[in-house]
Amino acid sequence: MTMRLFWGVILAGPLFAQLPEPVAKCQALLHHGDPGTKACYQALIRSTDSLAQAEGLWHTGDYKSANELFRALTKSREKDPVSRVRWGRMFLERGQAPDAKAEFDGALKLNPDYAPALLGAAIVAGEQFEGAAIKNAEKALKADPKLYEAEEVIARVQLEDNSPAKAAEAAQRALTISPEALDAMAILASIDLLNDKRDSPWFAKALAVNPSYGNAYAIAAHFFMINRRYEEGIAQFRKALQLDPNLPAARSALGIALMQLGYEEEARKELETTYNGGYQNLETVNSLRLMDTYKDYVKFKTPRTILMLHKKEADLLKLYFQPEFERALTAYDQKYKFKLSKPVQLEVYPNHDDFAVRTLGVPGLGILGVTFGYVVAMDSPSARPPGQWHWAATMWHELSHVYVLEMTNHKVPRWFTEGLAVYEETAASPDWGDRLDPGTISAIKGKKLLPVAELDRGFVHPTYPEQVTVSYYQGGQICTFIKEKWGYDKLVSMIHDFGASLTTPQVIEKEFDLKPEEFDRQFNAWHDPRVKNQVEHYDDWRKRLRDMGTLMKDKKWDEAIKEGEAIRDFYPEYVEMNSVYERLSEAHAGKGDKTKALAELERYSKLGGRSPESLKQLSEMQLEQGRKKDAAATLERLNFIYVEDESVHQRLGALHMDLNNPAGAVREYQAVLAGKPLDPASAHFGLALAFKATNRVGDAKEEVISALEAAPGFKPAQKLLLELSAKE
Amino acid sequence: MRIFSAALLLLLGGSLLQAADTYYLTIAGLGGEQEYEQRFAGWASDFDKILKGEPNAHITTLSGAQATRANIEAKMGEIAKQAKAEDSFVLFLIGHGTYDENEYKFNIPGPDISATQLGVLLDKIPAKQAIIDMSSASGGITPILQRPKRVIVTATKSGTEKNATVFARYFVEALRDPSADADKNEIITVLEAFRYAEGKTAKFYDELKRLSTEHPLIEDTGKGDGVKSATVENGQGIVAGRFALLHTGSAVAIANNPEKQKLLKQKEDIEQQIDELKYRKASMSVPDYRGQLSKLLVELAKTQEALDK
């Protein structure tokens, strides 16, 4: 969800002075929603001033001509930043933030202190949730203290950061500069609505200035959406469009919101209206394209689940996703002591860009799953290279959100719901969930963890590249701290507190009788010793891991082992590529010491290592030692990471048969078949044996016939067929 | 696979089980870098080891410094003199290939050997032939070497796919992995090995989310382009489907036992009936098809049981 619907329409106050007088006059009419606005802009088209002409074309909807004229203007007025900024504002209004940014940057090259350009840069940064938004807005204010729009940007960013008091202060400052600052009023109205007020006097005040100011409701909708209060957001979007049907960005956002919540038919209608009206931004186009592919998906329904899988992998994924889906819901029913009121829809996308479009309307999203109330969208295990992530942990993470959002009526700060979801991943199984990563160690070292009361900022407006990841980690650690010190029930109580509209500081005080600052102090006292070793040794570990790599390359096994064992416990959580465990295992194997090689891979697996190759190797080693049960458990663990490997299912099926677990074998051979194997005969035969072991003789015979259909000369299958036929 | 076995074998008058000699020549060309040198030599050595147990096999491997044009010409000349029309000749090419719009060349120590030069040598060998070119740019070899009933397998779809390939790795694996024997007749044919290696190669790129830089093809009709999937519709795979690369069980011994000939004939008759039934599958109801299939399969299983006694 981006922010572009709020900006670029209204411009009043000091900047008027820099625009031709007729333009300023039209802007004032626009600001007030005056019926004469259109005629005013139409008149500008006939102006002899090119900038006025461009403004006229823009505001009468002839964007193509306006674009050409702005382009010509910026060429003919090379040293003039005004036309660049105005062109940028038109781009912003049309949902083309990168083009807008280029023009604002161009203007700032001409004049680094040009306040409208700084403001434009602040708006673009705000749209893209970049930390530079406030910095640029403050620079703009320094250059022009009367630029109230800059205060509006600050207000908006603060409210996105879940700091309503600071947001209200900035909005009030904007109103002090200009009592007709409409967006400031809309932000104050949004604060009221977010506080569960049914209405806000600020709407009336804004409409008194401009009776058709639909953006007031669109702004409120935006804040509901980013606070995951989707249904309320949709209601506000509808109000906005009722007041002003000519808000294509709001209509597009409404369409995307409807798509996110699974209202496919209505979503398509709104998005098509937007598209056919000429507003063809990326989000609209991508969402429509994605919806066109829905025919390629199949839905599996149970009383409390709807599993939506792509047809090409549905047979395979259903075997693993459906039971895990049910298991997670059963666990959360008990943990949260709460029953969901309707089925949860889980959508699984084999193409990561489709998932990203489903989520934000644009591809390129770096996350794995997103929850929209009762609808969860996530990457398929096949969407990323094997071993990059743990699909089951992601599923549990997102399903935790479903409960927390529902229990709080979507009134929960991001840090808490994310932190609890991160906690739940590892609570489901200790080897799940993400480990302490190098970026987080650097952040801890640089003392960049945020106070709990401000932690939302780390999610919404990160100020350094890893901050979102660091904030997930910190949220998870805070929930772990609470669970360890006060017990899990406190976390459940906190869910209810947030549902009762308490703020983070209020919840901290209520549940722990602590001021947030004291909570932070206690958290740090708990957390710091847990990461002290890693933080202190990180640089040394990093250098020596590199050195170990060189020793490995030269096959200097003894030296590599000595180095690896010396650094392994400096940073034991590191189980990503080139982990010490995998290297130590290789070095021990190089020396012929299979026992130690196996022990290192077992450490790796226990700590959450996810490389399919290493886990398969571990399973082989366990099997070599006759530890079939452990070998099967390792492959079961791998199934939660990557399910597309036919050889794993084949092997696990055989192991389950050996371990007298024919039900497990049935699932595994079904998985082999679902993957359209190169050797279908063996898979059918394996499944036949598993069915036979579960006394499903009819199914067994069907499978053995299928095996022989593929390979009539398959002797073991022939024997089984004769055996089964003799029983008839 | 079955569609190319019993029914078509009878049609073509051949058998996978016939006892004849097979000449295998593996050439591992220049690697350029140590990593590739080792990889190519390792694969060649793997072929060598796997084929050692093959009955009536004549195996030659030219690897690294031995893989000169003079040695290749000498060895292929020797095979041309020894081999008969009923024999088989399999050429494995492992390494780097190049293509310059007109001609494919296989990189070896000294002057490279071109597809045209290979073609001259191959044309002198009277045996049935399978050329398994696993090098980069190997797709460029097909238009030059294709002849009726000569099987050509290439790692790439054209001469313009010039990156180093992984196809050879999976072709070697096909001869080791029992699952490559899709019809479980204890014989891995060129077609089965190709299907296995092609599938694994595609999966390799798919899993790593990398753009595939090799697209293996097979061609055995002597005309047109190679295909990724040999089907009845495109007519490809008939020769490759009866070209045995490796025997993995007792099938040859049984075939050579005169006492079993009657049962063997009975078995082939049933297999033919099964193939014919499969052709009619689309026009039959599922219960009818499965019922008839089940009956034939039981008969076949009993016949095989008698053969194995």
Side-chain angles (χ1 to χ4, degrees):
Chain A
M1 172 60 61
T2 56
M3 308 270 301
R4 63 186 45 116
L5 61 162
F6 315 133
W7 310 98
V9 178
I10 308 298
L11 186 69
L15 190 55
F16 281 12
Q18 299 179 37
L19 292 173
E21 190 272 333
V23 177
K25 189 184 149 202
C26 294
Q27 294 279 25
L29 293 175
L30 176 67
H31 189 79
H32 291 96
D34 191 287
T37 306
K38 195 173 177 187
C40 182
Y41 279 113
Q42 278 170 338
L44 287 185
I45 299 171
R46 296 185 294 275
S47 168
T48 52
D49 182 293
S50 298
L51 180 58
Q53 256 187 7
E55 292 275 347
L57 291 165
W58 165 11
H59 288 98
T60 51
D62 188 352
Y63 303 108
K64 195 177 167 196
S65 303
N67 194 39
E68 283 164 11
L69 196 48
F70 273 126
R71 180 176 290 114
L73 261 173
T74 53
K75 278 185 186 161
S76 63
R77 300 181 189 178
E78 273 184 355
K79 307 274 181 193
D80 175 20
V82 177
S83 49
R84 283 192 178 277
V85 168
R86 295 305 297 154
W87 194 13
R89 294 299 291 254
M90 185 181 83
F91 278 134
L92 259 185
E93 186 196 290
R94 302 305 296 165
Q96 294 172 246
D99 296 316
K101 185 175 184 302
E103 294 313 315
F104 298 140
D105 288 349
L108 286 170
K109 271 187 193 158
L110 296 171
N111 179 0
D113 296 322
Y114 185 51
L118 287 164
L119 172 65
I123 295 171
V124 171
E127 269 201 5
Q128 297 176 345
F129 294 91
E130 290 171 358
I134 287 190
K135 200 171 74 183
N136 283 329
E138 285 172 348
K139 275 190 196 168
L141 277 168
K142 198 175 166 193
D144 181 354
K146 292 201 174 299
L147 196 58
Y148 72 87
E149 273 191 294
E151 291 287 8
E152 289 177 330
V153 171
I154 293 170
R156 188 188 78 191
V157 172
Q158 292 291 2
L159 192 52
E160 285 170 355
D161 283 344
N162 200 17
S163 297
K166 288 180 184 172
E169 283 168 19
Q172 290 293 357
R173 288 197 298 272
L175 285 165
T176 305
I177 299 168
S178 169
E180 294 190 345
L182 290 171
D183 288 354
M185 294 181 207
I187 287 166
L188 290 166
S190 300
I191 293 171
D192 285 343
L193 294 195
L194 289 172
N195 284 331
D196 291 337
K197 290 184 183 164
R198 285 193 169 181
D199 201 357
S200 166
W202 289 106
F203 283 126
K205 287 178 189 173
L207 295 180
V209 175
N210 179 345
S212 57
Y213 182 54
N215 252 344
Y217 295 104
I219 287 172
H222 165 75
F223 285 106
F224 275 128
M225 292 302 291
I226 68 161
N227 281 283
R228 305 179 180 208
R229 294 168 68 169
Y230 304 112
E231 297 283 3
E232 292 162 286
I234 285 173
Q236 293 301 319
F237 275 131
R238 290 191 204 283
K239 273 192 182 176
L241 290 164
Q242 207 172 4
L243 198 58
D244 182 0
N246 190 27
L247 285 175
R251 193 176 297 283
S252 169
L254 171 62
I256 291 167
L258 290 164
M259 177 183 77
Q260 287 167 342
L261 292 203
Y263 303 123
E264 289 164 24
E265 201 174 320
E266 207 184 344
R268 182 181 286 278
K269 192 178 140 211
E270 295 296 351
L271 288 167
E272 280 176 351
T273 303
T274 309
Y275 183 89
N276 294 334
Y279 189 81
Q280 297 167 358
N281 66 333
L282 267 181
E283 289 88 336
T284 305
V285 174
N286 287 337
S287 301
L288 280 168
R289 273 193 196 138
L290 174 65
M291 293 182 82
D292 286 342
T293 70
Y294 279 4
K295 63 181 185 311
D296 299 327
Y297 288 78
V298 57
K299 284 182 181 172
F300 301 96
K301 295 183 182 179
T302 72
R304 57 182 188 162
T305 66
I306 302 167
L307 181 59
M308 183 172 134
L309 301 171
H310 196 283
K311 283 177 186 169
K312 72 177 182 183
E313 57 183 14
D315 289 346
L316 175 64
L317 294 193
K318 185 171 181 280
L319 293 168
Y320 300 93
F321 272 62
Q322 187 66 48
E324 204 54 28
F325 195 178
E326 300 273 1
R327 193 168 81 91
L329 294 182
T330 303
Y332 287 141
D333 279 354
Q334 291 167 4
K335 291 185 91 167
Y336 300 138
K337 302 177 183 73
F338 186 83
K339 292 272 184 197
L340 296 173
S341 60
K342 59 181 181 179
V344 181
Q345 177 160 317
L346 176 66
E347 303 174 3
V348 185
Y349 292 90
N351 180 331
H352 176 73
D353 282 345
D354 283 347
F355 159 68
V357 168
R358 170 69 180 78
T359 309
L360 281 180
V362 286
L365 184 71
I367 58 176
L368 305 163
V370 173
T371 300
F372 302 100
Y374 276 84
V375 179
V376 173
M378 64 181 281
D379 269 340
S380 158
S382 64
R384 289 169 179 265
Q388 245 190 22
W389 66 298
H390 194 291
W391 66 261
T394 299
M395 184 199 281
W396 279 68
H397 179 112
E398 298 305 327
L399 293 176
S400 164
H401 287 323
V402 175
Y403 281 79
V404 173
L405 290 173
E406 181 69 2
M407 289 167 76
T408 60
N409 196 21
H410 295 231
K411 291 180 292 188
V412 59
R414 189 167 291 253
W415 79 264
F416 181 77
T417 185
E418 295 297 356
L420 184 58
V422 167
Y423 167 82
E424 297 292 8
E425 291 179 37
T426 314
S429 184
D431 59 293
W432 292 13
D434 286 332
R435 314 283 117 179
L436 178 68
D437 62 53
T440 304
I441 292 178
S442 297
I444 294 168
K445 205 170 180 181
K447 303 205 176 304
K448 289 180 179 171
L449 296 191
L450 292 169
V452 66
E454 294 176 31
L455 190 46
D456 265 13
R457 186 154 54 85
F459 289 94
V460 185
H461 290 106
T463 54
Y464 56 94
E466 302 87 7
Q467 193 170 17
V468 173
T469 313
V470 172
S471 301
Y472 272 90
Y473 166 83
Q474 190 183 347
Q477 289 295 298
I478 289 175
C479 289
T480 306
F481 166 62
I482 291 168
K483 189 259 172 188
E484 285 195 8
K485 183 158 185 181
W486 290 283
Y488 187 81
D489 284 351
K490 278 288 179 192
L491 290 167
V492 179
S493 300
M494 289 174 79
I495 300 175
H496 292 297
D497 293 338
F498 285 121
S501 300
L502 297 188
T503 63
T504 294
Q506 288 168 333
V507 172
I508 299 280
E509 288 203 43
K510 176 174 180 276
E511 294 299 334
F512 313 115
D513 199 19
L514 294 173
K515 292 281 180 199
E517 298 75 20
E518 175 56 16
F519 178 89
D520 287 333
R521 197 195 61 73
Q522 290 192 17
F523 168 70
N524 291 333
W526 171 85
H527 179 254
D528 289 351
R530 293 165 69 97
V531 294
K532 184 171 179 282
N533 177 44
Q534 296 88 327
V535 171
E536 278 180 5
H537 291 105
Y538 178 69
D539 291 339
D540 191 27
W541 171 86
R542 200 173 153 193
K543 181 189 166 297
R544 291 171 70 179
L545 184 67
R546 216 169 21 236
D547 295 343
M548 187 188 177
T550 309
L551 294 170
M552 295 291 294
K553 205 175 171 189
D554 296 340
K555 298 190 176 176
K556 293 179 178 171
W557 305 129
D558 286 322
E559 290 170 67
I561 289 168
K562 193 176 166 197
E563 193 66 357
E565 287 179 345
I567 64 170
R568 183 184 60 206
D569 299 331
F570 285 175
Y571 181 8
E573 295 90 342
Y574 185 79
V575 286
E576 304 305 323
M577 192 184 280
N578 296 325
S579 72
V580 178
Y581 306 100
E582 288 165 294
R583 285 181 171 176
L584 276 173
S585 178
E586 189 188 338
H588 285 304
K591 284 188 68 188
D593 190 340
K594 288 187 177 177
T595 306
K596 285 187 177 168
L598 185 153
E600 289 301 334
L601 284 186
E602 284 190 321
R603 283 194 184 95
Y604 169 80
S605 177
K606 197 175 172 189
L607 285 162
R610 292 184 302 235
S611 156
E613 287 312 311
S614 295
L615 294 174
K616 278 157 70 175
Q617 200 183 342
L618 170 60
S619 176
E620 286 298 316
M621 289 176 171
Q622 289 165 325
L623 205 53
E624 274 178 29
Q625 291 201 348
R627 293 165 52 191
K628 287 186 180 175
K629 205 172 165 188
D630 293 332
T634 299
L635 296 183
E636 283 288 353
R637 189 172 166 260
L638 180 52
N639 270 341
F640 286 125
I641 295 162
Y642 191 66
V643 293
E644 317 274 333
D645 191 330
E646 180 190 322
S647 68
V648 169
H649 299 303
Q650 192 82 45
R651 170 56 58 88
L652 189 52
L655 278 169
H656 279 316
M657 286 300 284
D658 286 350
L659 292 164
N660 197 25
N661 177 16
V666 166
R667 184 197 61 197
E668 290 307 309
Y669 288 121
Q670 284 175 332
V672 176
L673 284 167
K676 297 181 179 52
L678 291 166
D679 180 13
S682 293
H684 282 295
F685 177 60
L687 186 54
L689 289 174
F691 276 138
K692 183 181 161 234
T694 52
N695 293 320
R696 292 167 64 179
V697 177
D699 290 331
K701 190 168 178 196
E702 284 302 309
E703 289 304 322
V704 81
I705 288 171
S706 295
L708 289 165
E709 183 185 22
F714 190 8
K715 287 182 187 173
Q718 287 178 332
K719 282 182 185 160
L720 181 61
L721 176 63
L722 292 178
E723 185 189 329
L724 293 170
S725 299
K727 286 184 181 174
E728 286 177 345
Chain B
M1 255 308 291
R2 288 308 306 171
I3 58 164
F4 296 121
S5 57
L8 289 166
L9 284 179
L10 293 171
L11 185 71
L12 294 165
S15 169
L16 285 163
L17 303 176
Q18 274 181 348
D21 286 1
T22 305
Y23 293 82
Y24 297 97
L25 174 59
T26 305
I27 306 173
L30 275 181
E33 294 167 26
Q34 194 189 358
E35 184 192 338
Y36 287 116
E37 296 283 357
Q38 286 176 354
R39 197 182 294 176
F40 297 160
W43 286 332
S45 165
D46 288 344
F47 276 126
D48 202 74
K49 284 179 204 156
I50 293 166
L51 297 169
K52 277 271 156 53
E54 189 65 6
N56 307 322
H58 306 264
I59 303 158
T60 306
T61 300
L62 298 174
S63 192
Q66 298 174 313
T68 61
R69 197 200 295 179
N71 284 348
I72 295 168
E73 286 171 352
K75 190 65 210 173
M76 289 178 72
E78 196 182 302
I79 294 169
K81 285 178 191 160
Q82 292 171 357
K84 301 179 190 68
E86 64 270 26
D87 293 336
S88 301
F89 172 66
V90 183
L91 176 63
F92 295 114
L93 295 174
I94 303 168
H96 296 307
T98 55
Y99 185 71
D100 67 357
E101 304 285 322
N102 296 308
E103 180 65 292
Y104 163 89
K105 284 182 180 172
F106 182 65
N107 300 170
I108 51 174
D112 292 341
I113 189 160
S114 69
T116 306
Q117 288 162 340
L118 275 171
V120 171
L121 297 170
L122 287 166
D123 287 345
K124 290 178 182 164
I125 298 175
K128 293 167 283 182
Q129 298 177 3
I131 318 302
I132 319 295
D133 188 348
M134 295 164 276
S135 68
S136 45
S138 50
I141 207 169
T142 306
I144 300 164
L145 292 188
Q146 64 187 170
R147 302 275 185 284
K149 297 185 188 177
R150 178 185 281 169
V151 183
I152 299 176
V153 168
T154 59
T156 74
K157 66 182 174 188
S158 67
T160 55
E161 290 190 321
K162 293 178 177 174
N163 290 5
T165 61
V166 296
F167 181 70
R169 170 178 154 192
Y170 296 116
F171 208 90
V172 171
E173 199 176 296
L175 302 188
R176 281 200 184 117
D177 187 344
S179 69
D181 179 17
D183 63 4
K184 308 296 169 202
N185 65 350
E186 300 179 332
I187 298 166
I188 297 175
T189 64
V190 175
L191 183 61
E192 284 176 323
F194 168 76
R195 281 180 171 157
Y196 179 96
E198 190 279 327
K200 291 270 184 172
T201 300
K203 206 168 175 64
F204 170 84
Y205 288 98
D206 189 42
E207 281 188 352
L208 294 178
K209 306 286 166 215
R210 281 166 51 179
L211 286 178
S212 180
T213 52
E214 58 190 298
H215 298 84
L217 299 181
I218 189 165
E219 201 290 303
D220 67 357
T221 62
K223 58 189 177 193
D225 297 327
V227 295
K228 180 186 160 197
S229 304
T231 62
V232 175
E233 287 73 26
N234 61 35
Q236 296 282 6
I238 294 173
V239 180
R242 52 188 283 265
F243 199 120
L245 263 185
L246 189 74
H247 294 80
T248 61
S250 57
V252 174
I254 291 172
N256 291 338
N257 185 344
E259 293 171 17
K260 307 266 183 177
Q261 292 308 307
K262 192 179 167 194
L263 281 170
L264 205 56
K265 174 73 175 58
Q266 186 180 325
K267 181 187 163 194
E268 288 190 347
D269 284 348
I270 301 168
E271 284 176 340
Q272 189 174 358
Q273 288 177 57
I274 291 171
D275 283 333
E276 285 166 2
L277 181 68
K278 283 190 203 170
Y279 279 121
R280 299 202 309 273
K281 182 177 179 179
S283 62
M284 297 171 74
S285 71
V286 174
D288 189 21
Y289 171 75
R290 296 288 283 190
Q292 290 191 39
L293 181 65
S294 174
K295 199 177 154 197
L296 286 169
L297 289 171
V298 170
E299 275 182 49
L300 184 64
K302 285 178 178 168
T303 308
Q304 185 65 52
E305 198 175 45
L307 270 168
D308 289 339
K309 274 180 186 166

